[in-house]
Amino acid sequence: MEKRASFGRQALRQLILLIVSVIVIYPVLWVVQTAMTPAQEFRREIAVSSWSFDNFRDVVSTKDARGRWLFGRQLWNSLAVAGVTTLFGIFLALTGAYALSRFDFPGRETGLATLLVTQMFPGVVMAIPIYIILDKLKLLNSMWGLTLVYSTTAIPFCIWMLKGYIDTIPKDLEEAALLDGATRWQIFTRIALPLARPAIAVTALFSFMTAWNEFILAATFLNQETAYTLPVAIQRYVESEKTAWGHFAAAAILVSLPVVALFFALQRHLVGGLTAGSVK
Amino acid sequence: MASVTLRGVGKDFGATTILPSIDLEIADGTFLVLVGPSGCGKSTVLRIVAGLEAATRGDVAIDGESVTDKKPRDRDVAMVFQSYALYPHMTVRENLAFALRLRKDPQAAIDARVAEVGEMLGLGALLERFPRQLSGGQRQRVAMGRAIVRRPRVFLFDEPLSTLDAALRGKLRVELKRLHQQLKSTMIYVTHDQIEAMTLADQIVVLNGGVIQQHGTPDELYRRPANRFVAGFIGSPPMNFLDVEIAKDGDGSAMRAPGLELRLPERWPEGPAVLGLRPNDLVPSDDAAAPLSGEVDVVEPIGWEAHLHGRIGETPVCAQLTADVARRYEPASTIRFDIAPRALHLFDRDSGARLSAEAQDA
Amino acid sequence: MLDDERRPASVRTSRRFAFALALLVVGGFPSLVTARTTLTLWHSYQGDERKALETSVARLNERSTTIRVNSLWVPYSAFIRRLNQAIPRGHGPDLFIFAHEHIGNWVESGRLQPIEGAVPTSELDRFFPETLAALRYDDKLCGLPLAFKNLVLFYNRKLVPTPPKSFDELIRIAKRLTRHEEHRYGLVFKSTDFYVHAAFLFGFGGTLFDERGRPRLDTPENVRSLEFVRDLVRREQIVPRNVAGDLITKLFNAGLAAMVINGPWFLGEIKAGLDFGVAPLPVLSQSGRPPRPFVTVDGIFLSAKSNHRAAAIEVMRALTSDDAAFLRATLGKQLVANRAVHRRPEVRDDPKARVFRQQLRDTVPMPNVPAMRFVWEPANRALRKVMRGAAEPRAALTEAQKRIRMLMQPPPPPANPVPYAIVLGLLLLGAVALWIRRLAQPQMRRAMRENRAAYAFAAPATITLLGLLITPFVMGAVVAFFAYRNGAFTFVGARNFVDVLLSREVGLTDPLSFYYTFAVTVLWTALNVAAHLVIGVALAMALRDKWVKLRAFYRVLFILPWAVPNYITALVWRGIFDEEFGSMNALLQALGAEPVNWFSHFWTSFAANMVTNMWLGFPFMMVVTLGALQAIPSDLEEAAAVDGASAAQRFRHVVLPLLAPALIPAVIMGTVWTFNMFNVIYLVSGGEPDGSTEILISEAYKWAFDRYERYGYASAYALLIFFILLGYSRLTRRLREPGRT
Ligand SMILES: Nc1ncnc2c1ncn2[C@@H]1O[C@H](COP(=O)(O)OP(=O)(O)O)[C@@H](O)[C@H]1O
Ligand SMILES: [Mg+2]
């Protein structure tokens, strides 16, 4: 549009961006530096005197008494729980959002209002009831119970977001497909689903994050250390009498990496997927 | 190949009635154009035929068989949308093949059919492109192709040309006409553009406010508009209307208005009426006895013809003249017109219904 | 494992063979082999302690043909919560290892079964009597001791060649060695931690309970102990005022602390090569008595719901045998409770272990009665106030006493459920009637029939949401009408709400009052959302134009805080704000300012929470704004520019109104999330100082899990939170859905 801003304005803008960058990066660098410092202590200078991967090695090579490779199993658990949660979450959110976006059925308004309301549930009171319900469903101690709970936690927001996105997909397309002989389900899978891909990517991301980061329920439900997820396992570094900062930092990096990678892989969709509904 | 029948079809959205009751008979192979101002319910009629919208009352039949309770996909109709509704995530080929795939035609048959239709519409080179890589006209053709591929019993078009520029619109109109001649299928075409209606239609239905105003051939509609609405809607530039008073005058009638003094041999109903005159029926005359006289405001030359805008009494009128003739009139000068007797259209002032001369002549 | 290596190879192979055979037999003829009793054991040991325990368990499993023990490490932070949830529902362990101080509560709530009489008295003789005493509740033995922990004096031999015998002597030495400008201190201990202070309290003859067993803090002896420590800190100034985190370790390792009062875990933190000694705590010259620190005992306990009492007791005895204890002492470096182990040369010859054992005689078992949990918070609060100079010892303890009385209030009396049942019944009836009325309308039924597909699509999400979100919420909400005590719920009607809302127990401005916390929560939410909005929009505007240098890079970089798991972010920032080691203070010092003890003042603590939450929250707003900006046609702004609007005017009058439709829902969502942002508060400030930076959700959590298991009270809090948010969203509905009423 207008001609480029004056040099002064540009410089100011870059300066602000630079400052924010420093603020954003600083804690990250601090964690990296702590992870790279061999001694289990808390340091404050950003100055890496000697690089060492000992902390990473210690964390990754954690084994239990029977010599089973705990870190590997816990990583696998986390991946499995988060992966299945993502699939569940996408399925539940997408079908739900589709119904809310495409049909004007009795109960729709109630549904929409309820979704918003669930965001206001204080999680604190729900931990014990969830435990009781999973117990009744015989899903305690299993990955499935956790997975269900996680996908349920993530879906209200995901439905809200997906519905906004699906609203922007022209209805014409589906009517055309209807005339072309498609069933409702075919329209859903062949037209709506591929077209909602950016929003699905974001849904996937949020579902994955919910499952990947949760530790309070996981620490309560799972009955075997080999079944723990990584965030539960990480507690060991934070809660001893003396925090093992180096190990904590190394573990934090290892745990964060997959989500960060996923975030960056999907960040192109983030902008569109998140806001399509509200800006139309 | 099929006929389409609507019997007492009506539609309410909530408490508002959009279509009170439509009766329509469309013979096999007809190109029927449904025309009317926007918001009058044309799309709704079309969507009811397609099954995308359920009629609140009445019955739709295709080939004599009621389809009111059938799902869209069981009606065997195809529709071309105003937005084209091309699947953005499929190539042109996939778009064309989609319906055939869904009904599980053998792959070879699908390929052959897609190729054939692609050929017919000149889409051959575009088959591997995505819709976003196509121009407006190309997209339109793909949308038609998608309808044609299936060999449906009935084609439905919802303002398919309205988003295109004028030149392209003209060209595609011709193509559509050719297509109809080639396929000989029943086609229902919705538009708000009366020129499209006139050029394309075998039959035109004029719709206003959800009510059919007139149903007939383009020629019938042009020559004998059933009411003032149809008269004003069909024809370009639109018909001029003058409020007149009709009085008895011997055997015939006399029509008067400021700037108008005309004797009519037939006997017309007395009282207030509206006179309709098509711009090309206004013939300038130097004769001081010519029945119409008015004042020139603006002359608009358009190549070999010109539109002369003036006033008769206080009513603005438009006359369609050849450029040569029009050049003779300066703004603010007086102009007189002759009217051919057959060019008169008289309408009831209140109801807008067409008036006819009394019995002896009818 | 360990002993495997000591055995000759042939034995090992033959054992493997036997094992393989056993497998075959078990697999082939399952009916012929009696199944082993499998017992579950929960613990939260880590590192060497864990290794030692697991080795003992492995040996036990090898030797026993009838019992198999599965041990499970449970994170310490989740241990009690999990135990309390799991045992009543039969998912708990058979055995668990934990500090002894909760046993009273566990017995009262039917989670732990005493083992009185199950172990021969002769066998109990193998433990130090002090450790057994700690495990008695209501005159019944509740478990067997594994290890004990108490405080002693550590001293740097370079600075203090011989340890002082009395506190007068200690003060003299300490004064000589204290140099405030150099951060040198004669004595370092956590003077604001009641666990530590108890040593002085008992040394002055103080007590925690009156003759009827009710907590009583404001006794003259207790006041005297507090005055004494206050003088060490504030008059003699030989002790640093605020000892948080790892300051003790840091100072001692750096040679800046001459003497330290600390427990056995400190041994593992002292850096190698430092020449130090340990000594019993010196005698208090004023009272002529030695300080008597608390002793805590790690015990192994039997779940009330275990079906294998006999087998479990056998395991308890095996894991507390002298051999197992020896392993824990040598490999696990624990101070074990077995007397005989302390006589074996490996332990006997360790002078440090001897000192702890010696000090053990002058200890008080940490009270294990349920009432003790009401003492901690008020006592710590009093200590902090006094050390800060904000209150005199007597006044502080009087206030603490008041607080204890408040916390100890008996649960509200049972209420008559009938009126509630009637109201509920009427409401339900009304709802059903309304529903039936709607269903009776033909157009409604028709709309439902026509939309059958919609219900099919909505079903999966609806069912899971109903089952796992709405039902738990309703169940949780129902708890708000009950009071919980010792494993049982009693119906109390709306009493919890009345208590919370009338705030009768505490003043309105007390951090424990609902209104205080509500005000903090509103402030917290408003400031955070405003900050997120301003930062998010500003950054999005800065990154909007295509020609901005490094635009793509910044855009990716700025969503990083969103990508990092927020509990990690919170812990990291907690570290950054650490008084001694955090880089925030390093920065301040580099700028020439005084370091700040972030979590000891409301505003600094609040600011630390804010900064953390701002860091992790702005990317969401930025991304939403970026998305909305994309949809704003540039010709509008161009038109405004042509009309002579300045950049600021264009933003204010063109861009902002067009952003609003996207930003308003984001702000509303953001508000709801921030209002309930538990992780940041819990992990960064933890409510410090004195619970003043707590927000409603974290306060509710503390009432339920960290304080006194007041589930009903916590649930009333949670319901109030919910209604506040619901009201908020109703109020903002107009904004959210313009055009709808
Ligand atoms: N789903 C609907 N709900 C309510 N009113 C509708 C709906 N669809 C169309 N209408 C109204 O019905 C009238 C006819 O619409 P339509 O058939 O699309 O007109 P057009 O002749 O322009 O195609 C319009 O006034 C429109 O506002
Ligand atoms: Mg239309």
Side-chain angles (χ1 to χ4, degrees), chain C residues 552-568:
Chain C
F553 166 77
Y554 285 130
R555 279 178 65 156
V556 170
L557 179 68
F558 291 170
I559 59 170
L560 186 72
W562 192 358
V564 179
N566 70 16
Y567 69 97
I568 287 183

Side-chain angles (χ1 to χ4, degrees), chain B residues 166-182:
Chain B
L168 199 54
R169 209 152 49 203
K171 193 169 146 232
L172 283 167
R173 242 171 17 221
V174 177
E175 277 185 32
L176 252 170
K177 187 123 194 174
R178 190 182 313 130
L179 201 70
H180 179 242
Q181 283 160 6
Q182 201 177 336

Side-chain angles (χ1 to χ4, degrees), chain A residues 104-106, chain B residues 56, chain C residues 434-451 455:
Chain A
D104 192 9
F105 56 95
Chain B
T56 314
Chain C
L434 216 70
W435 219 56
I436 291 178
R437 264 250 310 275
R438 290 191 67 194
L439 276 183
Q441 296 167 352
Q443 65 262 43
M444 177 67 113
R445 283 210 303 278
R446 185 174 146 171
M448 288 176 74
R449 231 184 356 263
E450 275 171 9
N451 284 299
Y455 294 107

Side-chain angles (χ1 to χ4, degrees), chain B residues 13 18 37-44:
Chain B
F13 283 116
I18 301 298
S38 66
C40 72
K42 310 176 297 281
S43 299
T44 308

